[in-house]
Structure formats: C-alpha cells, structure tokens
Amino acid sequence: MPVTVFKRKMTGLVEHSKSVYQFANVALLSSLPNRCQLCQHRIEQLDYQRLFPNQVLSGICQVCLAASLYQHEVCLGCGREIPLLQAYCGKCLKLTPMLVVAPCSYHQGLGPLIAAIKYQQQCAPLNAITQQLATRINQLIEHKLIRAPQVLVPVPLHPNRLRQRGFNQAWLIANRLSQLLDIPLDDSSLTRVVDTAPQADLSGKQRRKNCFNAFKLSDKVQYQRVALIDDVVTTGTTVDEIARLFSQQFIYVQTWCLARAEAPGLLD
C-alpha cells in the first residue's frame, strides 16, 4: 500500500475515533443526573446542543446561565456599564488600561459557581461558562474591538499550590478555550516562582506586594500578542504583574476570564 494512501486511511480512522468518542461522551453526560448548582432544578438541554453542537449543558441550567450573563455592554477597562458596544468608557479611553474580557460579573450570579470550581473541585459548570466566554471573545473580534492573540497563557500556580489543589483552574479554562477557538496554549513560558499567600483576603496594597516578582517569563518568547487566562479578575494585580513581564519583551497582553469582580459600587 502506498505511504500516502496509508496516511489518508490512518487520518480517517483517527477522525472517526474522535467523532465516536465525542458522541459517546455527549451521550454519557446526557444520561447522568444533572442538576443546576444554583436553582437545583434538573437541567434540560432544550436547544443548547443546537446552539453548541456536541456540547452538554451541565452544572447550570439555561435560565440561570442566561440571567447571570451581562445584560448590557461593559467597558473592557473597568467593567462599568456603557450604552454601546465599544472597548472603553470615557474615563478608561484616556488611560487605555489592559483589556479584560469576561461574559459576566462575579457579583451577579456566577460567583458561587466559579468559587466552587476553584475551592471545591465542582467543575460541572466550567464548560458552559467557558463557552459563553468564547462567544463573547468571538463577538469582540468580529467587531474589531480586540485582536485574536497568537497564544493563550494560563496564569500559573506555584508547584506547592498545584500539589495542594490538584489542578490549575486557569489551565482548564485555557485548554477548553484553545479547543473552542483553535488558538494554541502555552503553559511553559510563564512560571510562578514565589508561593504567594492567597489574594482573596488581602487589600489592594497587600495584593501588589504579594505578587511583586512572583512570576518569571522565559527570555525567548516568540509571540507578539498573548491572552492571559484566569478564572476571575478582581483588582487586576496578578495580571498586571504578569503583563509587566511581557511588556518588557514588547508583547501585547489582554486578559480573558470567566468573570470580573468589579470595584465596589461600580455596578450600583
């Protein structure tokens, strides 16, 4: 058998195996008990699989998911509500801070689910929320408000924290986005070299001190545009510290996350 024919047959078998696996995975997930972690009602797929083929809605129902997403346009700089689809509000237009893309506010519905992913390993809603992030990204790229990056870089955990937690939620999100958006994932160029204290209970000043020089970036990064991936952006201290390292190599950085925890009073 000619080599080219053999390669075509093997490629066909691999693609067929992938299709069978995806179908089996969807069928299996559809048959498992599936209740919304917010309202506790049974999750019905309804038209979800028509909108997102080969995807099973899990961990959150369509009603809770739709209600938790942004119901208005938001500034990609500070998260403030704005009347039109644009990158920045008037205030941020003067400062042009780093662009932060998220499908929802951490404070308006999905916060408990995202916290449960990180601290309780309840990852059932992760795919559905990441799918909404991918949809938001595609919308912004289509309207030329952001540029697609060349690579996705998950915010790394220190090895001690990784062993303790067992997984890096930012890597899980980045891996799923890589599949959905067909953008490569790079989890080797950026490392966390300081085992920092958890940021949750720290003030802004303490967060900045906590993250200073906590990361190391390879000297030979070959990209011009990257997207940092994390679960939540609060004060932006972590991603700002990482962006500082990239900027030293003249690399453009934006941040993509599942939710944004805006400053107190900003959404009132």
Side-chain angles (χ1 to χ4, degrees), residues 157-236:
L157 290 178
H158 189 273
N160 292 343
R161 186 70 56 82
L162 185 59
R163 282 192 295 270
Q164 179 184 26
R165 187 175 296 167
F167 68 100
N168 178 3
Q169 71 283 354
W171 188 93
L172 295 178
I173 298 163
N175 184 57
R176 186 68 186 124
L177 283 175
S178 178
Q179 298 169 7
L180 292 169
L181 301 173
D182 194 25
I183 300 175
L185 184 155
D186 180 354
D187 58 3
S188 60
S189 295
L190 180 69
T191 55
R192 191 186 292 251
V193 294
V194 178
D195 190 4
T196 55
Q199 297 273 77
D201 297 324
L202 301 181
S203 67
K205 183 177 181 180
Q206 290 171 327
R207 286 171 182 250
R208 288 188 292 273
K209 183 177 181 180
N210 194 43
C211 283
F212 184 67
N213 286 337
F215 300 92
K216 182 179 180 181
L217 183 64
S218 170
D219 294 331
K220 298 182 179 180
V221 178
Q222 300 297 315
Y223 315 111
Q224 291 78 48
R225 302 185 310 278
V226 306
L228 293 177
I229 310 300
D230 209 353
D231 56 345
V232 179
V233 170
T234 308
T235 62

Coordinates of all heavy atoms in Angstrom, one line a residue, residues 157-236:
L157 N 0.0 28.4 38.7 CA 0.1 28.2 40.2 C 1.5 27.8 40.5 O 2.3 27.2 39.7 CB -0.8 27.0 40.6 CG -2.3 27.3 40.5 CD1 -3.1 26.0 41.0 CD2 -2.7 28.4 41.4
H158 N 1.9 28.1 41.8 CA 3.2 27.6 42.3 C 3.1 26.1 42.5 O 2.0 25.6 42.8 CB 3.5 28.3 43.6 CG 4.9 28.0 44.1 ND1 5.2 26.9 44.9 CD2 6.1 28.6 43.9 CE1 6.5 26.9 45.2 NE2 7.0 27.9 44.6
P159 N 4.1 25.3 42.2 CA 4.1 23.9 42.4 C 3.5 23.4 43.7 O 2.8 22.4 43.8 CB 5.5 23.4 42.2 CG 6.1 24.5 41.4 CD 5.4 25.7 41.7
N160 N 3.8 24.1 44.8 CA 3.2 23.8 46.1 C 1.7 23.9 46.1 O 1.0 23.0 46.6 CB 3.8 24.7 47.2 CG 5.2 24.4 47.5 OD1 5.8 23.4 47.0 ND2 5.9 25.4 48.1
R161 N 1.2 25.0 45.5 CA -0.3 25.2 45.5 C -0.9 24.1 44.5 O -2.0 23.7 44.8 CB -0.6 26.6 45.0 CG -2.1 27.0 45.0 CD -2.6 27.1 46.5 NE -1.8 28.1 47.2 CZ -2.0 29.4 47.1 NH1 -2.9 29.9 46.4 NH2 -1.2 30.2 47.8
L162 N -0.2 23.8 43.4 CA -0.8 22.9 42.5 C -0.9 21.5 43.1 O -1.9 20.8 42.9 CB 0.2 22.8 41.2 CG -0.3 21.9 40.1 CD1 -1.7 22.4 39.6 CD2 0.7 22.0 38.9
R163 N 0.1 21.1 43.9 CA 0.0 19.8 44.6 C -1.1 19.8 45.6 O -1.8 18.8 45.7 CB 1.4 19.5 45.2 CG 2.5 19.0 44.3 CD 3.6 18.5 45.1 NE 4.3 19.5 45.9 CZ 5.3 20.2 45.5 NH1 5.8 20.0 44.2 NH2 5.9 21.1 46.2
Q164 N -1.3 20.9 46.3 CA -2.3 21.0 47.3 C -3.7 20.9 46.6 O -4.6 20.2 47.1 CB -2.2 22.3 48.1 CG -3.2 22.5 49.1 CD -3.0 23.9 49.8 OE1 -2.5 24.8 49.2 NE2 -3.5 24.0 51.1
R165 N -3.9 21.7 45.6 CA -5.2 21.8 45.0 C -5.5 20.6 44.0 O -6.6 20.2 43.8 CB -5.4 23.1 44.2 CG -6.8 23.4 43.7 CD -6.8 24.8 43.1 NE -6.6 25.8 44.1 CZ -6.4 27.1 43.9 NH1 -6.4 27.5 42.6 NH2 -6.3 28.0 44.8
G166 N -4.5 20.2 43.3 CA -4.6 19.1 42.4 C -4.8 19.5 41.0 O -4.7 18.6 40.1
F167 N -5.1 20.7 40.7 CA -5.3 21.2 39.3 C -5.2 22.7 39.3 O -5.4 23.3 40.4 CB -6.7 20.7 38.8 CG -7.8 21.4 39.5 CD1 -8.5 22.5 38.9 CD2 -8.3 21.0 40.7 CE1 -9.6 23.1 39.6 CE2 -9.4 21.6 41.4 CZ -10.0 22.7 40.8
N168 N -5.0 23.2 38.2 CA -5.0 24.7 38.0 C -6.2 25.1 37.1 O -6.3 24.7 36.0 CB -3.7 25.1 37.3 CG -3.7 26.6 37.0 OD1 -4.6 27.4 37.4 ND2 -2.6 27.1 36.3
Q169 N -7.2 25.7 37.8 CA -8.4 26.1 37.1 C -8.2 26.9 35.8 O -8.9 26.9 34.8 CB -9.4 26.7 38.0 CG -9.1 28.1 38.5 CD -8.1 28.1 39.5 OE1 -7.6 27.1 40.0 NE2 -7.6 29.3 39.9
A170 N -7.1 27.8 35.9 CA -6.8 28.7 34.8 C -6.4 27.8 33.6 O -6.7 28.1 32.4 CB -5.7 29.7 35.1
W171 N -5.6 26.7 33.9 CA -5.2 25.8 32.8 C -6.4 25.1 32.2 O -6.5 25.0 30.9 CB -4.2 24.8 33.3 CG -3.6 24.0 32.2 CD1 -2.4 24.3 31.5 CD2 -4.1 22.8 31.6 NE1 -2.2 23.3 30.6 CE2 -3.2 22.4 30.6 CE3 -5.3 22.1 31.8 CZ2 -3.5 21.3 29.8 CZ3 -5.5 20.9 31.1 CH2 -4.6 20.5 30.1
L172 N -7.3 24.7 33.0 CA -8.5 24.0 32.5 C -9.3 24.9 31.5 O -9.8 24.5 30.5 CB -9.4 23.6 33.6 CG -8.9 22.5 34.6 CD1 -9.9 22.2 35.7 CD2 -8.5 21.2 33.8
I173 N -9.4 26.2 31.9 CA -10.2 27.2 31.1 C -9.4 27.4 29.8 O -10.0 27.4 28.7 CB -10.3 28.5 31.9 CG1 -11.2 28.3 33.1 CG2 -11.0 29.6 31.0 CD1 -11.1 29.4 34.2
A174 N -8.1 27.6 29.9 CA -7.3 27.9 28.7 C -7.3 26.7 27.8 O -7.4 26.9 26.5 CB -5.8 28.2 29.1
N175 N -7.3 25.5 28.3 CA -7.3 24.3 27.5 C -8.6 24.2 26.7 O -8.7 23.9 25.5 CB -7.1 23.0 28.3 CG -7.0 21.8 27.5 OD1 -6.2 21.6 26.6 ND2 -7.9 20.8 27.8
R176 N -9.7 24.5 27.4 CA -11.0 24.5 26.7 C -11.2 25.6 25.7 O -11.7 25.3 24.6 CB -12.1 24.6 27.8 CG -13.5 24.4 27.2 CD -13.8 23.0 26.8 NE -15.0 22.8 26.1 CZ -15.2 22.3 24.9 NH1 -14.1 22.0 24.2 NH2 -16.3 22.2 24.3
L177 N -10.7 26.8 26.0 CA -10.7 27.9 25.0 C -9.8 27.5 23.8 O -10.2 27.9 22.7 CB -10.2 29.2 25.7 CG -11.2 29.9 26.6 CD1 -10.4 31.1 27.3 CD2 -12.4 30.4 25.9
S178 N -8.7 26.9 24.0 CA -7.9 26.5 22.9 C -8.6 25.6 22.0 O -8.5 25.8 20.7 CB -6.6 25.8 23.5 OG -5.8 25.4 22.4
Q179 N -9.4 24.7 22.5 CA -10.2 23.8 21.6 C -11.3 24.6 20.9 O -11.6 24.4 19.7 CB -10.8 22.7 22.5 CG -9.8 21.8 23.2 CD -10.4 20.9 24.2 OE1 -11.6 20.8 24.3 NE2 -9.6 20.2 24.9
L180 N -12.0 25.5 21.6 CA -13.1 26.2 21.1 C -12.7 27.2 20.0 O -13.4 27.4 19.0 CB -13.9 26.9 22.2 CG -14.7 26.0 23.1 CD1 -15.2 26.8 24.3 CD2 -15.8 25.3 22.5
L181 N -11.6 27.9 20.2 CA -11.1 29.0 19.4 C -10.0 28.6 18.5 O -9.6 29.5 17.7 CB -10.7 30.2 20.3 CG -11.8 30.7 21.2 CD1 -11.2 31.8 22.1 CD2 -13.0 31.3 20.4
D182 N -9.5 27.4 18.6 CA -8.4 27.0 17.8 C -7.2 27.9 17.9 O -6.6 28.4 16.9 CB -8.8 26.9 16.3 CG -7.8 26.1 15.5 OD1 -7.1 25.3 16.0 OD2 -7.7 26.3 14.2
I183 N -6.8 28.2 19.1 CA -5.6 29.1 19.5 C -4.7 28.2 20.3 O -5.2 27.6 21.3 CB -6.0 30.4 20.2 CG1 -7.0 31.2 19.3 CG2 -4.8 31.2 20.5 CD1 -7.5 32.4 20.0
P184 N -3.4 28.1 20.0 CA -2.5 27.3 20.8 C -2.4 27.7 22.3 O -2.7 28.9 22.6 CB -1.2 27.5 20.1 CG -1.5 28.0 18.8 CD -2.7 28.8 18.9
L185 N -2.1 26.8 23.1 CA -1.9 27.0 24.6 C -0.4 26.9 24.9 O 0.2 25.9 24.5 CB -2.8 26.0 25.4 CG -2.8 26.2 26.9 CD1 -4.1 25.5 27.5 CD2 -1.6 25.5 27.6
D186 N 0.1 27.9 25.7 CA 1.5 27.8 26.1 C 1.5 27.8 27.6 O 1.2 28.9 28.2 CB 2.3 29.0 25.5 CG 3.7 29.0 26.0 OD1 4.1 28.2 26.8 OD2 4.5 29.9 25.5
D187 N 1.9 26.7 28.2 CA 1.9 26.6 29.7 C 3.3 26.4 30.2 O 3.5 26.0 31.4 CB 1.0 25.5 30.2 CG 1.3 24.2 29.7 OD1 2.4 24.1 28.9 OD2 0.6 23.2 30.0
S188 N 4.3 26.8 29.4 CA 5.7 26.6 29.8 C 6.5 27.9 29.9 O 7.5 27.9 30.6 CB 6.4 25.6 28.8 OG 6.4 26.1 27.5
S189 N 6.1 28.9 29.2 CA 6.9 30.2 29.1 C 6.8 31.0 30.4 O 7.7 31.7 30.8 CB 6.4 31.0 28.0 OG 6.7 30.4 26.7
L190 N 5.6 30.9 31.1 CA 5.4 31.6 32.3 C 5.3 30.7 33.5 O 4.6 29.7 33.5 CB 4.1 32.4 32.2 CG 3.7 33.3 33.4 CD1 4.7 34.5 33.5 CD2 2.3 33.8 33.2
T191 N 6.1 31.0 34.6 CA 6.0 30.2 35.8 C 5.9 31.1 37.0 O 6.2 32.3 37.0 CB 7.3 29.4 35.9 OG1 8.5 30.2 35.9 CG2 7.4 28.3 34.9
R192 N 5.3 30.5 38.0 CA 5.2 31.3 39.3 C 6.3 30.8 40.2 O 6.4 29.6 40.6 CB 3.8 31.0 40.0 CG 3.6 31.9 41.2 CD 2.3 31.6 41.9 NE 1.1 31.8 41.2 CZ 0.2 32.8 41.4 NH1 0.4 33.6 42.4 NH2 -0.9 32.9 40.7
V193 N 7.2 31.7 40.6 CA 8.4 31.3 41.3 C 8.3 31.6 42.8 O 9.2 31.1 43.6 CB 9.7 32.0 40.7 CG1 9.9 31.5 39.3 CG2 9.5 33.5 40.8
V194 N 7.3 32.3 43.2 CA 7.1 32.6 44.6 C 5.7 32.0 45.1 O 4.7 32.2 44.4 CB 7.1 34.1 44.9 CG1 6.8 34.3 46.4 CG2 8.4 34.7 44.6
D195 N 5.7 31.2 46.1 CA 4.5 30.6 46.6 C 3.7 31.7 47.5 O 3.8 31.7 48.7 CB 4.8 29.4 47.5 CG 3.5 28.6 47.9 OD1 2.4 29.0 47.4 OD2 3.7 27.6 48.6
T196 N 3.0 32.5 46.8 CA 2.4 33.7 47.4 C 1.2 33.3 48.3 O 0.6 32.2 48.1 CB 1.9 34.7 46.3 OG1 1.0 34.0 45.4 CG2 3.0 35.3 45.5
A197 N 0.8 34.2 49.2 CA -0.4 33.9 50.0 C -1.6 34.1 49.2 O -1.6 34.8 48.2 CB -0.4 34.9 51.2
P198 N -2.7 33.5 49.5 CA -4.0 33.7 48.7 C -4.4 35.1 48.7 O -4.3 35.8 49.7 CB -5.0 32.8 49.5 CG -4.2 31.8 50.2 CD -2.9 32.4 50.5
Q199 N -4.9 35.6 47.6 CA -5.2 37.0 47.4 C -6.5 37.4 48.0 O -6.7 38.6 48.2 CB -5.2 37.3 45.9 CG -3.9 37.1 45.2 CD -3.0 38.4 45.2 OE1 -2.4 38.6 46.2 NE2 -3.0 39.1 44.2
A200 N -7.4 36.5 48.2 CA -8.8 36.8 48.5 C -9.0 37.8 49.6 O -9.8 38.7 49.5 CB -9.6 35.5 48.8
D201 N -8.2 37.6 50.7 CA -8.5 38.5 51.9 C -7.5 39.6 52.0 O -7.4 40.2 53.1 CB -8.4 37.6 53.2 CG -9.5 36.5 53.2 OD1 -10.6 36.8 52.7 OD2 -9.2 35.4 53.6
L202 N -6.8 39.9 51.0 CA -5.7 41.0 51.0 C -6.3 42.3 50.5 O -7.1 42.3 49.6 CB -4.5 40.6 50.2 CG -3.8 39.3 50.7 CD1 -2.6 39.0 49.8 CD2 -3.4 39.3 52.2
S203 N -5.8 43.4 51.0 CA -6.1 44.7 50.4 C -5.4 44.9 49.1 O -4.5 44.1 48.8 CB -5.7 45.8 51.4 OG -4.3 45.8 51.6
G204 N -5.7 46.0 48.4 CA -5.0 46.3 47.2 C -3.5 46.4 47.3 O -2.8 45.8 46.5
K205 N -3.1 47.1 48.3 CA -1.7 47.3 48.6 C -1.0 46.0 48.9 O 0.1 45.7 48.4 CB -1.4 48.3 49.7 CG 0.0 48.6 50.0 CD 0.1 49.7 51.1 CE 1.6 50.0 51.4 NZ 1.7 51.1 52.4
Q206 N -1.7 45.2 49.7 CA -1.1 43.9 50.1 C -1.0 42.9 48.9 O -0.1 42.2 48.7 CB -2.0 43.2 51.2 CG -1.9 43.9 52.5 CD -2.9 43.4 53.5 OE1 -4.0 43.0 53.2 NE2 -2.5 43.4 54.8
R207 N -2.0 43.0 48.0 CA -2.0 42.2 46.8 C -0.8 42.6 45.9 O -0.2 41.7 45.3 CB -3.3 42.4 46.0 CG -4.5 41.7 46.6 CD -5.8 42.2 45.9 NE -7.0 41.6 46.5 CZ -7.7 40.6 45.9 NH1 -7.4 40.2 44.7 NH2 -8.8 40.1 46.5
R208 N -0.6 43.9 45.7 CA 0.6 44.3 44.9 C 1.9 43.8 45.5 O 2.8 43.3 44.7 CB 0.6 45.8 44.7 CG -0.6 46.3 43.9 CD -0.4 47.8 43.6 NE -0.6 48.6 44.8 CZ -1.8 49.1 45.2 NH1 -2.9 48.8 44.5 NH2 -1.9 49.8 46.3
K209 N 2.0 43.9 46.8 CA 3.3 43.4 47.4 C 3.4 41.9 47.3 O 4.5 41.4 47.1 CB 3.3 43.9 48.9 CG 4.5 43.5 49.6 CD 4.5 44.0 51.1 CE 5.8 43.7 51.8 NZ 5.7 44.2 53.2
N210 N 2.2 41.3 47.4 CA 2.2 39.8 47.4 C 2.6 39.3 46.0 O 3.3 38.2 46.0 CB 0.8 39.3 47.7 CG 0.7 37.9 48.0 OD1 1.5 37.3 48.7 ND2 -0.3 37.2 47.5
C211 N 2.3 40.0 45.0 CA 2.5 39.5 43.6 C 3.8 40.0 43.0 O 4.2 39.5 41.9 CB 1.4 39.9 42.7 SG -0.1 38.8 42.9
F212 N 4.4 41.0 43.6 CA 5.6 41.6 43.0 C 6.7 40.5 42.9 O 7.1 39.8 43.8 CB 6.1 42.7 43.9 CG 7.3 43.5 43.3 CD1 7.1 44.2 42.2 CD2 8.5 43.4 43.9 CE1 8.2 44.9 41.6 CE2 9.6 44.1 43.4 CZ 9.4 44.8 42.2
N213 N 7.2 40.4 41.6 CA 8.3 39.4 41.3 C 7.9 38.0 41.6 O 8.8 37.2 41.9 CB 9.6 39.8 42.0 CG 10.3 41.0 41.4 OD1 10.1 41.4 40.3 ND2 11.1 41.7 42.2
A214 N 6.6 37.7 41.6 CA 6.2 36.3 41.9 C 6.2 35.4 40.7 O 6.1 34.2 40.8 CB 4.8 36.3 42.5
F215 N 6.4 36.0 39.5 CA 6.4 35.3 38.2 C 7.7 35.4 37.5 O 8.4 36.4 37.6 CB 5.2 35.7 37.4 CG 3.9 35.5 38.0 CD1 3.3 36.6 38.7 CD2 3.2 34.4 37.9 CE1 2.1 36.4 39.3 CE2 1.9 34.2 38.5 CZ 1.4 35.2 39.2
K216 N 8.0 34.5 36.6 CA 9.1 34.5 35.8 C 8.7 34.2 34.3 O 8.0 33.2 34.1 CB 10.2 33.6 36.2 CG 11.5 33.6 35.4 CD 12.6 32.7 35.9 CE 13.8 32.7 35.1 NZ 14.9 31.8 35.6
L217 N 9.2 34.9 33.4 CA 8.9 34.7 32.0 C 10.1 34.3 31.2 O 11.2 34.9 31.4 CB 8.3 36.0 31.4 CG 7.8 35.9 29.9 CD1 6.7 35.0 29.7 CD2 7.4 37.3 29.4
S218 N 10.0 33.4 30.4 CA 11.1 32.9 29.6 C 11.7 34.1 28.7 O 11.0 35.0 28.3 CB 10.7 31.8 28.6 OG 11.7 31.5 27.6
D219 N 13.0 34.1 28.5 CA 13.6 35.2 27.8 C 13.4 35.1 26.3 O 13.7 36.1 25.6 CB 15.2 35.2 28.0 CG 15.5 35.5 29.5 OD1 14.7 36.2 30.1 OD2 16.5 35.0 30.0
K220 N 12.9 34.0 25.8 CA 12.8 33.8 24.4 C 11.4 33.5 23.9 O 11.1 32.5 23.2 CB 13.7 32.7 23.9 CG 15.2 33.0 24.1 CD 16.1 31.9 23.6 CE 17.6 32.2 23.9 NZ 18.4 31.1 23.4
V221 N 10.4 34.3 24.4 CA 9.0 34.2 24.0 C 8.9 34.7 22.5 O 9.3 35.8 22.2 CB 8.1 35.0 24.9 CG1 6.7 34.8 24.5 CG2 8.2 34.4 26.3
Q222 N 8.3 33.9 21.7 CA 8.3 34.2 20.2 C 7.0 34.8 19.8 O 6.7 34.8 18.6 CB 8.5 32.9 19.4 CG 9.9 32.3 19.7 CD 11.0 33.2 19.4 OE1 11.1 33.8 18.3 NE2 12.0 33.3 20.3
Y223 N 6.2 35.4 20.7 CA 4.8 35.9 20.3 C 4.8 37.4 20.4 O 5.6 38.0 21.1 CB 3.8 35.3 21.2 CG 3.9 33.8 21.4 CD1 4.2 33.3 22.7 CD2 3.6 32.9 20.4 CE1 4.3 32.0 22.9 CE2 3.8 31.6 20.6 CZ 4.1 31.1 21.9 OH 4.2 29.7 22.1
Q224 N 3.9 38.0 19.7 CA 3.7 39.4 19.8 C 2.4 39.8 20.5 O 2.3 40.9 21.1 CB 3.6 40.1 18.4 CG 5.0 40.1 17.6 CD 5.3 38.8 17.0 OE1 4.4 38.2 16.4 NE2 6.5 38.3 17.2
R225 N 1.4 38.8 20.5 CA 0.1 39.1 21.2 C -0.2 37.8 22.0 O -0.3 36.7 21.4 CB -1.0 39.3 20.1 CG -0.7 40.5 19.2 CD -1.9 40.8 18.3 NE -2.4 39.6 17.6 CZ -1.8 39.1 16.5 NH1 -0.7 39.7 16.0 NH2 -2.3 38.1 15.9
V226 N -0.5 38.0 23.2 CA -0.9 36.9 24.1 C -2.2 37.2 24.8 O -2.5 38.4 25.1 CB 0.2 36.4 25.1 CG1 1.5 36.2 24.4 CG2 0.4 37.5 26.1
A227 N -3.0 36.2 25.2 CA -4.1 36.4 26.1 C -3.8 35.6 27.4 O -3.6 34.4 27.3 CB -5.4 35.9 25.5
L228 N -3.8 36.3 28.5 CA -3.7 35.7 29.8 C -5.1 35.1 30.2 O -6.1 35.8 30.0 CB -3.3 36.7 30.9 CG -1.9 37.2 30.8 CD1 -1.6 38.3 31.9 CD2 -0.8 36.1 30.9
I229 N -5.1 33.9 30.7 CA -6.3 33.2 31.1 C -6.4 33.0 32.6 O -5.5 32.4 33.2 CB -6.5 31.9 30.4 CG1 -6.2 32.0 28.9 CG2 -7.8 31.3 30.6 CD1 -7.1 33.0 28.1
D230 N -7.5 33.4 33.2 CA -7.7 33.2 34.6 C -9.2 33.0 34.9 O -10.0 33.2 34.0 CB -7.2 34.4 35.4 CG -6.7 34.0 36.8 OD1 -6.9 32.8 37.2 OD2 -6.1 34.8 37.6
D231 N -9.5 32.6 36.1 CA -10.9 32.4 36.4 C -11.6 33.7 36.7 O -12.7 34.0 36.2 CB -11.1 31.4 37.5 CG -10.4 31.7 38.8 OD1 -9.5 32.6 38.7 OD2 -10.7 31.2 39.9
V232 N -11.0 34.5 37.5 CA -11.6 35.8 38.0 C -10.5 36.9 38.0 O -9.4 36.6 38.3 CB -12.2 35.7 39.4 CG1 -12.8 37.0 39.8 CG2 -13.2 34.6 39.5
V233 N -10.9 38.1 37.5 CA -10.1 39.2 37.7 C -10.8 40.2 38.7 O -11.9 40.6 38.5 CB -9.8 40.0 36.3 CG1 -9.2 41.3 36.6 CG2 -9.0 39.1 35.4
T234 N -10.1 40.5 39.8 CA -10.6 41.4 40.8 C -10.0 42.7 40.7 O -10.4 43.6 39.9 CB -10.4 40.8 42.2 OG1 -10.9 39.4 42.2 CG2 -11.2 41.5 43.2
T235 N -8.9 43.0 41.4 CA -8.2 44.2 41.3 C -7.3 44.3 40.0 O -6.8 45.4 39.7 CB -7.3 44.5 42.5 OG1 -6.3 43.5 42.6 CG2 -8.2 44.5 43.8
G236 N -7.0 43.1 39.5 CA -6.1 43.1 38.3 C -4.6 43.0 38.7 O -3.8 43.1 37.8

